[in-house]
Amino acid sequence: MGGAVLYGTLTIFLIAVVASVVFSLMLRFTELTESSISLFVTIISFLALFIGGFMSGGKGKMKGWMLGGSTGLIYTVIVFLFQYLGYDSLFSIEQMVYHGCYIVTAMMGGILGVNLSGGPSRE
């Protein structure tokens, strides 16, 4: 199960890196501003967490809610540690709400991943 969670977490960070490069290029070479793409960044964040949960649930093939939730929780802990150790600041209330929703989104992705991957039979 640890491998499935690691796989899902790496998927999330891979999507985040690719999205960051695309958004930074768009900001650099177009007239877009950071405030104009904030909604798209939020949508991509939720999509990345859903896909990461889906991948971990599909790899684990059982207990998708737990695999997805663990994936979202590990992502949240890594982001928190980066913010706390790197920028010396804690999560704001708004960030806590977002990360709570990220964990729930990853759980839903994990549940769907298990169900679509053909988890263990119940015979």
Side-chain angles (χ1 to χ4, degrees):
M1 289 199 339
V5 171
L6 180 64
Y7 189 75
T9 306
L10 290 175
T11 302
I12 292 169
F13 281 108
L14 180 67
I15 293 170
V17 166
V18 170
S20 294
V21 168
V22 169
F23 285 133
S24 66
L25 290 173
M26 287 172 57
L27 287 170
R28 171 69 177 101
F29 295 111
T30 66
E31 299 295 320
L32 291 174
T33 62
E34 289 181 24
S35 60
S36 66
I37 64 168
S38 64
L39 177 64
F40 295 113
V41 170
T42 303
I43 290 170
I44 295 296
S45 298
F46 278 103
L47 192 61
L49 267 291
F50 183 82
I51 292 170
F54 183 86
M55 297 300 276
S56 65
K59 274 281 209 205
K61 297 196 185 301
M62 64 168 68
K63 297 184 182 176
W65 66 273
M66 188 170 71
L67 290 172
S70 299
T71 302
L73 186 63
I74 288 175
Y75 170 79
T76 295
V77 167
I78 290 171
V79 170
F80 174 77
L81 288 174
F82 181 80
Q83 182 173 331
Y84 180 69
L85 297 173
Y87 294 106
D88 198 26
S89 67
L90 298 173
F91 277 172
S92 66
I93 298 297
E94 181 182 6
Q95 286 175 311
M96 283 192 243
V97 170
Y98 271 111
H99 282 275
C101 293
Y102 287 160
I103 293 169
V104 170
T105 301
M107 280 181 180
M108 290 188 292
I111 292 168
L112 192 62
V114 167
N115 288 329
L116 292 181
S117 71
S121 63
R122 296 183 179 165
E123 294 177 20

